[in-house]
Amino acid sequence: MNLQFAKQPSYWSPYLAGLAIGLTLILTYYVMGHGVGASGAYTQLAARMLEIEAPAHAQANVYLKRYLELGTLLQSWIVIEMFGVLLGGLLGALSARRFQFQIERGPGIAAEDRLVFALLGGILVGFGSRLAQGCTSGQALSGGAVLAVGSWFFTLAFFLGGYLFARVARRQWR
Amino acid sequence: MNGPLVPNEILTPEMGLAFALIAGLLFGFFLERAGFGSARKLTAIFYLQDFAVLKVMFTAVVVGAVGLLLLGGAELLDSDLLAIPPTYLWPQAVGGLLIGLGFVLGGY
């Protein structure tokens, strides 16, 4: 298998980054009593958008109604946190001079095809993260840190899923 | 026992919301520094090329778990007040599998 990797930019050692994120997790639990998350923010957003378009339908949906009752978007911890993640990532990229508008892909695939893969992947992640009530941030990292059994199961399933289907996605990086 | 600060009402929920921004900033910044802004780097583990994702995740979880245990043991943190995701084995397993598939397909 011949995967072309670009010259390594100056990323942190993964262990250093892991240490930093671990400390962030500890701090977040210490302050809030819960960990970080990501997928919940999208559910909150989806619930709000549906409520604007079809309020009766949104209110009648048992699952989404719970999210609506949590308050406005600006009252949602996870939505604000997600905004912080966006900013933090941006700051990281800018300060490392890594900021670039691009559709990252291998040399052998067209941008449109890559985007189709990205959309499909996103739909699967969106659906799966709601099924699992969390994603790699909320379940694997945060749930993992408090040793939640289900979260560890999730993490195993995640890696299994990735390996099982890597073949299908490989052509994007060729 | 001060922690967790917001549930113990040492900090108000509003301050908790402000902290949400800080938590996100730190999280996002460190993730980007690890190189996780790159779909290629993120998915490389599934091609047995670059194991950064595993190293970062595992280190973070171990550091987090040990830290929380120590804080709890030193009675700086009331562990009983920590939110622990409930276990629903099938949804978490199937959801995880779907996320793994979507992750390697979409790149993020």
Side-chain angles (χ1 to χ4, degrees):
Chain A
M1 183 163 41
N2 180 26
L3 287 180
Q4 310 254 350
F5 277 88
K7 174 180 72 121
Q8 280 291 311
S10 53
Y11 297 133
W12 281 7
S13 145
Y15 301 109
L16 180 64
L19 173 68
I21 292 174
L23 292 174
T24 305
L25 278 176
I26 295 171
L27 179 66
T28 306
Y29 269 109
Y30 182 74
V31 173
M32 301 302 306
H34 61 69
V36 296
S39 56
Y42 296 95
T43 319
Q44 188 76 8
L45 199 63
R48 279 287 154 210
M49 282 164 64
L50 186 65
E51 209 211 11
I52 293 170
E53 253 322 289
H57 186 86
Q59 291 289 338
N61 186 310
V62 174
Y63 179 69
L64 291 178
K65 186 151 180 256
R66 260 189 15 202
Y67 282 88
L68 291 175
E69 278 165 5
L70 289 175
T72 66
L73 285 180
L74 285 179
Q75 289 170 329
S76 166
W77 194 91
I78 197 168
V79 170
I80 295 182
E81 183 231 335
M82 276 266 51
F83 187 62
V85 172
L86 195 80
L87 271 185
L90 182 65
L91 284 172
L94 285 174
S95 61
R97 294 187 224 284
R98 265 198 289 269
F99 186 83
Q100 195 185 353
F101 280 111
Q102 62 174 337
I103 298 174
E104 195 182 4
R105 64 191 188 281
I109 185 171
E112 297 81 11
D113 295 343
R114 168 76 187 107
L115 288 179
V116 168
F117 270 110
L119 181 65
L120 283 177
I123 292 172
L124 284 167
V125 173
F127 184 79
S129 65
R130 290 295 81 206
L131 194 59
Q133 282 196 313
C135 57
T136 46
S137 310
Q139 289 281 349
L141 287 180
S142 302
V146 291
L147 306 179
V149 172
S151 298
W152 281 93
F153 245 84
F154 166 89
T155 309
L156 287 172
F158 165 74
F159 280 105
L160 188 68
Y163 278 111
L164 277 180
F165 298 105
R167 245 160 206 265
V168 174
R170 207 163 43 185
R171 74 180 200 97
Q172 294 183 84
W173 307 108
R174 286 242 165 97
Chain B
M1 194 142 28
N2 289 327
L5 301 179
V6 170
N8 277 337
E9 299 184 351
I10 293 170
L11 290 183
T12 64
E14 288 76 31
M15 294 171 86
L17 279 184
F19 175 77
L21 192 65
I22 297 170
L25 276 168
L26 290 171
F27 194 33
F29 183 79
F30 296 134
L31 283 174
E32 200 286 331
R33 285 297 166 160
F36 294 169
S38 161
R40 184 171 250 151
K41 187 151 175 90
L42 280 170
T43 52
I45 183 178
F46 295 114
Y47 304 107
L48 301 177
Q49 297 273 339
D50 179 347
F51 285 81
V53 166
L54 184 66
K55 291 173 186 173
V56 172
M57 278 180 68
F58 206 70
T59 307
V61 169
V62 170
V63 168
V66 170
L68 290 176
L69 279 171
L70 288 177
L71 284 181
E75 305 222 333
L76 292 168
L77 175 71
D78 188 352
S79 304
D80 289 339
L81 293 179
L82 293 182
I84 302 185
T87 301
Y88 294 103
L89 276 190
W90 277 111
Q92 279 168 313
V94 174
L97 203 73
L98 287 175
I99 293 180
L101 164 57
F103 185 94
V104 79
L105 210 57
Y108 295 105

